[in-house]
Amino acid sequence: MGTRDDLLDKAQPVAAAAVEHAGETERRRALAPEVVSAARASGLFRAGLPASLGGAEPSAAAILGAAERVAEADASAGWCVSIAATSSLLGAYLPEKGGQEVFGDPDAVAAGVWAPRGKAVAVDGGVTVSGRWSFCSGVTHADWIFLGVVLDGKLVVAAIPTAELEIHDTWHTSGLRGTGSHDTSADTVFVPDHRLLSVVDGPPVGAGQLHRFPLFGFFAASISAAALGNARGAITEFVELAAAKHPSGSRRSLAERTATQSAVASAEASLRAAREFYYRAIDDAWQASLSDSVVPEDLRLALRLACTHAVRTSADVTRSLYDLGGGSAIYETSPLQRRFRDAHTATAHFQVNPATFELTGRLLLGLPTETAQL
């Protein structure tokens, strides 16, 4: 099993490429080719694969920590790493033939939208898929896309080569521009049975610990990893700005002002606390995944709560630093304005939106609640 330090080492060259090409990534509205190459070479795009497909099956925290490190360099790059790693988990859910077809090529990268935005019609040997899916993060560099469809009233996920889909240039956004999260559509695309899977029936038979970890919880955690890394990067960049900036009419640097010192300390405390809750919830669910039984509801709930809290706290931290940056932060040359935009775009993701608090509150208050996708 790969360790957290192993994956952090692999994240270093990806982070270096992400920093160097962050401007290009933003302008392209897709990861710069150099970032994609570094991420492919690192293996992080495929970190969730089962051993049967060549995966090392590291811990969930190791994978997410590596994505967080890349996001510290650039949020869009970290987001794409975490989304691809999450998609690679589905290698364990595919039938053996499908897993080999999708991930047998050691360079193959997958992305996906599991929401059932399409329709599947049964035909001889498989299904035909039609529909349109929004927010396909990483579609511009992914070889395969996992797309949610409705088949006989049930949610099914189909693995489809990107080349058989149409990509629509829709990703014109305020933040996370480099994720290239365009719309994608299919028009009666044939998908054989061996490339169909379920994400709602629980872990596959014989799954290892990584694939017994709550799948939807990992999905939410992948968003949080990018948000936490982005907030850490914002703190680092603000500290650099504060040391050099002298507010108009003042001999003291921004860093020497007591209000700045207090605000930075508060931001640091908030981020550390949210991150500690996040990794504690991941570890608790990971330990429970040692058992063949389903991870208990209370631990799955804590994981989702920690993920939402992490994303929203990260946005608050980033906003506070952006505000402290004053006029210097509003220019395109300031990385703080991109951190601010990226942070608040992340809060819009459905896996970490305020509805998670409502779900948690219902359960804490003992009210009937649907928890199948916790």
Side-chain angles (χ1 to χ4, degrees), residues 179-251:
T179 63
S181 305
H182 302 287
D183 285 13
T184 300
S185 64
D187 184 8
T188 60
V189 173
F190 175 71
V191 182
D193 288 330
H194 62 262
R195 284 200 261 115
L196 299 175
L197 62 95
S198 171
V199 293
V200 295
D201 292 339
V205 176
Q209 187 177 4
L210 176 60
H211 300 98
R212 291 195 299 268
F213 188 88
L215 182 60
F216 286 96
F218 192 105
F219 187 8
S222 72
I223 305 306
S224 307
L228 287 166
N230 184 60
R232 173 53 60 196
I235 289 178
T236 299
E237 287 154 3
F238 176 79
V239 169
E240 293 173 357
L241 170 67
K245 179 177 180 178
H246 286 73
S248 179
S250 175
R251 293 183 177 181

Side-chain angles (χ1 to χ4, degrees), residues 170-186:
T170 54
W171 193 242
H172 298 269
T173 57
S174 60
L176 292 172
R177 293 175 181 171
T179 63
S181 305
H182 302 287
D183 285 13
T184 300
S185 64

Side-chain angles (χ1 to χ4, degrees), residues 33-369:
E34 294 84 355
V35 181
V36 174
S37 295
R40 284 184 186 272
S42 73
L44 294 180
F45 278 157
R46 295 160 55 92
L49 285 180
S52 61
L53 292 172
E57 298 196 18
S59 69
I63 298 172
L64 295 163
E68 180 190 13
R69 175 65 191 91
V70 176
E72 187 177 339
D74 176 63
S76 288
W79 182 284
C80 286
V81 165
S82 64
I83 289 296
T86 303
S87 297
S88 72
L89 292 169
L90 299 187
Y93 287 70
L94 281 166
E96 182 179 356
K97 183 178 179 181
Q100 288 295 335
E101 185 174 351
V102 174
F103 292 110
D105 180 343
D107 287 330
V109 173
V113 177
W114 306 345
R117 303 302 184 195
K119 181 180 179 181
V121 177
V123 296
D124 186 29
V127 299
T128 58
V129 169
S130 298
R132 180 163 174 156
W133 297 260
S134 301
F135 308 114
C136 297
S137 298
V139 67
T140 56
H141 60 256
D143 305 291
W144 292 83
I145 310 294
F146 287 103
L147 297 174
V149 297
V150 176
L151 176 63
D152 296 331
K154 296 180 180 179
L155 167 61
V156 174
V157 174
I160 303 176
T162 308
E164 296 181 13
L165 301 166
E166 183 175 358
I167 300 173
H168 304 271
D169 186 8
T170 54
W171 193 242
H172 298 269
T173 57
S174 60
L176 292 172
R177 293 175 181 171
T179 63
S181 305
H182 302 287
D183 285 13
T184 300
S185 64
D187 184 8
T188 60
V189 173
F190 175 71
V191 182
D193 288 330
H194 62 262
R195 284 200 261 115
L196 299 175
L197 62 95
S198 171
V199 293
V200 295
D201 292 339
V205 176
Q209 187 177 4
L210 176 60
H211 300 98
R212 291 195 299 268
F213 188 88
L215 182 60
F216 286 96
F218 192 105
F219 187 8
S222 72
I223 305 306
S224 307
L228 287 166
N230 184 60
R232 173 53 60 196
I235 289 178
T236 299
E237 287 154 3
F238 176 79
V239 169
E240 293 173 357
L241 170 67
K245 179 177 180 178
H246 286 73
S248 179
S250 175
R251 293 183 177 181
R252 294 186 301 166
S253 69
L254 184 59
E256 293 173 308
R257 302 180 72 170
T258 56
T260 302
Q261 295 157 9
S262 177
V264 169
S266 178
E268 180 70 25
S270 294
L271 184 60
R272 288 194 191 189
R275 190 174 183 272
E276 180 69 21
F277 180 23
Y278 171 76
Y279 279 108
R280 172 61 64 86
I282 290 169
D283 186 61
D284 287 345
W286 179 254
Q287 294 305 318
S289 299
L290 280 167
S291 167
D292 288 335
S293 58
V294 175
V295 173
E297 182 181 271
D298 63 326
L299 297 184
R300 289 183 284 128
L301 175 66
L303 177 59
R304 292 298 300 278
L305 179 62
C307 290
T308 299
H309 179 66
V311 170
R312 309 199 83 76
T313 299
S314 294
D316 289 342
V317 165
T318 306
R319 185 192 66 248
S320 70
L321 298 170
Y322 174 81
D323 288 344
L324 285 171
S328 299
I330 67 174
Y331 290 93
E332 289 187 354
T333 53
S334 170
L336 279 177
Q337 53 80 27
R338 186 172 69 247
R339 297 292 188 183
F340 173 82
R341 290 186 286 105
D342 290 347
H344 288 82
T345 301
T347 62
H349 198 282
F350 75 97
Q351 284 283 352
V352 291
N353 66 24
T356 306
F357 291 134
E358 296 173 17
L359 171 67
T360 304
R362 288 186 63 85
L363 286 169
L364 291 174
L365 291 166
L367 299 174
T369 307

Side-chain angles (χ1 to χ4, degrees), residues 2-34:
T3 67
R4 189 165 186 171
D5 288 343
D6 291 339
L7 291 192
L8 285 175
D9 288 343
K10 292 180 178 180
Q12 290 303 116
V14 187
V19 166
E20 183 178 355
H21 299 282
E24 181 184 357
T25 288
E26 174 118 336
R27 289 190 298 274
R28 290 171 63 94
R29 292 179 295 117
L31 296 188
E34 294 84 355

